Amino acid sequence: HERGGLEHSAATRARQGRRAGARAGAPSAMAGRFDPSKLLSTIAQRGTPLLAGAGVLVGGGYLANNAIYTVDAGHISIKYHRLSGVGSSTFREGVHFMFPWLERPIVFDVRARPHTMTSLTGSRDLQMVSISLRALCRPDPAKLPEIYRMLGRDYDEKVLPSIINEVLKSVVAQYNASQLIMQRELVSKTIRQGMVARAHDFNILLEDVAITHLSFSPEYEKAVEQKQVAQQQAE
């Protein structure tokens, strides 16, 4: 009986020892099965679609902001290419496409805009005349590339002041002071013809040209007034 009890106790301790060994060996087995490279690979595989989607969104946003531009009503654009320079094509109002970084749009306002200039010049009888001129001008839509190459977008500021001054001086010098007053319509027509011809040399279109102000020196105006008074008294 005592021998049976000892054998039973020994068997019990053996089973407990195996269980303790199994528990102690379980962490080491789990540690042996854990592979960081496999974990990273799994994360990368699952994250690839997300990264791809984010890349598509970023690329689409970049294209939307940099590959598409709009031309407003009353405007026309041309394109400048980094490799070939200013293109010969023009693009009217609407949405247009361009290659980011390689191309950039150059937009012109092709509506008629007023420009006023005053010039002090001499008449044929050497009277000083202050004359103001108003002109409506716009660029020739078919010549925008040439205008940009020669003058830039501020073509009107570079060309019109010199043209107006040149034409006014040349026309006013053909008339006496009294003719400038009495034949104002003819003088305005002559100035317009000269302005249209000179502006055409720079691919600028003039819609209307008119004299808005015409005045002489105080001495001449006083002399004219005295002459009129004398004529009235003689009558």
Side-chain angles (χ1 to χ4, degrees):
H1 179 71
E2 291 178 357
R3 183 183 301 173
L6 292 173
E7 291 177 356
H8 177 73
S9 299
T12 301
R13 286 195 297 271
R15 285 195 299 271
Q16 291 177 351
R18 286 195 297 270
R19 291 175 183 174
R23 286 195 298 267
S28 60
M30 292 178 62
R33 290 195 301 269
F34 177 74
D35 190 349
S37 62
K38 292 183 179 180
L39 179 61
L40 293 175
S41 177
T42 301
I43 294 175
Q45 291 176 358
R46 295 181 179 179
T48 298
L50 296 177
L51 294 175
V56 170
L57 290 177
V58 172
Y62 177 81
L63 289 176
N65 290 330
N66 297 276
I68 297 175
Y69 71 97
T70 302
V71 178
D72 296 330
H75 295 71
I76 295 179
S77 77
I78 58 178
K79 289 181 181 179
Y80 173 81
H81 196 284
R82 289 181 181 270
L83 301 180
S84 59
V86 178
S88 58
S89 301
T90 58
F91 304 88
R92 297 189 175 273
E93 57 192 65
V95 177
H96 302 280
F97 176 82
M98 65 177 178
F99 291 101
W101 188 81
L102 281 177
E103 294 180 328
R104 64 180 175 88
I106 302 167
V107 182
F108 280 85
D109 186 348
V110 294
R111 296 170 294 185
R113 293 183 294 175
H115 292 268
T116 303
M117 174 117 183
T118 300
S119 178
L120 183 63
T121 185
S123 63
R124 191 169 64 180
D125 54 353
L126 304 181
Q127 296 296 329
M128 297 306 297
V129 183
S130 176
I131 182 170
S132 296
L133 191 72
R134 180 179 181 272
L136 291 177
C137 76
R138 62 186 180 90
D140 186 348
K143 302 293 185 180
L144 293 181
E146 289 82 354
I147 292 175
Y148 185 77
R149 290 190 187 100
M150 292 191 306
L151 304 171
R153 283 194 296 185
D154 54 347
Y155 63 92
D156 49 352
E157 298 177 1
K158 294 180 178 177
V159 172
L160 287 181
S162 60
I163 288 179
I164 293 175
N165 195 51
E166 172 190 341
V167 173
L168 285 179
K169 288 183 180 297
S170 63
V171 172
V172 171
Q174 302 174 18
Y175 297 89
N176 294 329
S178 59
Q179 292 176 323
L180 292 174
I181 299 174
M182 302 299 296
Q183 303 178 18
R184 180 166 176 168
E185 184 176 350
L186 176 61
V187 174
S188 180
K189 181 179 178 181
T190 306
I191 291 175
R192 185 183 187 281
Q193 292 175 345
M195 286 284 299
V196 170
R198 289 293 290 128
H200 185 266
D201 295 338
F202 297 94
N203 300 311
I204 298 175
L205 305 178
L206 293 182
E207 303 292 341
D208 182 56
V209 178
I211 296 175
T212 58
H213 180 72
L214 183 66
S215 63
F216 300 89
S217 63
E219 294 79 9
Y220 180 79
E221 292 181 348
K222 184 176 181 180
V224 171
E225 182 179 354
Q226 291 175 350
K227 183 178 180 180
Q228 291 176 347
V229 170
Q231 289 176 348
Q232 292 175 356
Q233 291 177 350
E235 295 176 355

